Amino acid sequence: LFASSGIMIAGAQGGLFSRAECEERWSVHHPMPFISHASDGNDLYIGSYYDGIFKFSLENPDDPPVSVGTFTADGLLHTGDLLVAGNDGYGIFKSMNGGVTWDFANTGLPLDSIFNPWTGDWEYLTHVYCLATSGQHVFCGTGDGVFRTSMDVQSWEAVNIGIPALEISALFAAGESLYAVIDNMLFKSTDEGANWTQIYASESDISCVVTMNDTSYISTKGDGILYSADETVWSTLNNGLPTLNVNQVVPFNGQLYCGTEGEGVFIHDDGQWVEDNPGLIISDTWSLTVCNGQVFANDYSGVYRLETNGQWTDITPAVDYELFAMVITMDDRVFLSVEYDAPYDAPFILYTDDSG
């Protein structure tokens, strides 16, 4: 959930949605869910889960998107004439022509060596999980802390004074401040990353940080939303929320919006959160299939079978996984594709002959 060019953009399993302030309903433009985004005027770049990077026109959002990259962008940003993408494995890509061509820009970033038993070779990976700009620098979050470069993205330097050199799950810029998240810990820098101070530790992982009207807001994956005027004392802001699993909190035209996991979008009005979902397709379901008269479905963390009484039974296999991608049927078998990335990229397929 984010604001761009005066409209709200929402990404859900149902696809890409937008809504202007004067509109009463969300409009769906494409069935593509996405994990990252960057704006350049009326051009919106999104990083999809599996299909690479695409460019949408915010002036004509129903036009087909244009493919501008075939790799996964875990982070995206646009600054000046430069489009920058971060990838968990290949590091930083940059483009000077809107994604027509890309170059690596990993000088100074850490390398991890992993033995791949499938090939018998050692692989050298650069893990980049997030990107942000603040002041005159571009920042990236890696598995070894925060790194900084100039706006032309030539070479990187570590900037981890006051912050552990661990995996950075998110970076957020707000005014002259830069925030970094390590799981449930929130760090802040006011000097473009030269020094960091931990300002909060949540009970659950932190998903987003924003500021509005001299107040800071945090969304979390299990404790809802918190706010603070001085970033010392934090209070909850959860009245009206049906879930405390919140992905994003966004200021828009003087009001506060949040995007939740599985419950859609809410707007904060008169001291409570109010559902704001007309036209929004909310679903955690990734795929459906039918085998021998039974319906099977999956989301990213489970597989389910629909019983004759209308209830769903959890038939998730007991395997290590990153996510469950899709269920399909062939003959009398149900197949499940599984993404597994640790310690090396090793996806696999399972099947069942007995309905799970």
Side-chain angles (χ1 to χ4, degrees), residues 48-129:
S48 68
Y49 277 96
Y50 301 112
D51 299 320
I53 305 170
F54 292 84
K55 182 173 71 172
F56 285 82
S57 169
L58 293 176
E59 290 183 321
N60 301 289
D62 291 322
D63 289 351
V66 177
S67 174
V68 295
T70 58
F71 55 91
T72 299
D74 297 280
L76 274 174
L77 66 81
H78 190 279
T79 176
D81 296 324
L82 198 61
L83 182 63
V84 185
N87 175 270
D88 180 13
Y90 294 102
I92 296 292
F93 297 82
K94 67 176 183 178
S95 174
M96 294 292 294
N97 50 22
V100 176
T101 58
W102 294 88
D103 296 307
F104 284 111
N106 290 329
T107 301
L109 290 179
L111 275 174
D112 291 329
S113 58
I114 297 176
F115 181 74
N116 188 335
W118 301 102
T119 64
D121 297 323
W122 286 91
E123 296 182 356
Y124 298 91
L125 306 176
T126 299
H127 301 284
V128 173
Y129 304 106

Side-chain angles (χ1 to χ4, degrees), residues 321-343:
Y321 67 95
E322 185 79 15
L323 59 85
F324 297 118
M326 180 180 292
V327 286
I328 62 170
T329 299
M330 183 177 294
D331 298 326
D332 293 325
R333 286 179 172 174
V334 177
F335 292 83
L336 170 67
S337 57
V338 183
E339 181 69 23
Y340 184 60
D341 293 334

Side-chain angles (χ1 to χ4, degrees), residues 128-141:
V128 173
Y129 304 106
C130 49
L131 294 164
T133 59
S134 181
Q136 298 301 310
H137 293 93
V138 175
F139 297 83
C140 73

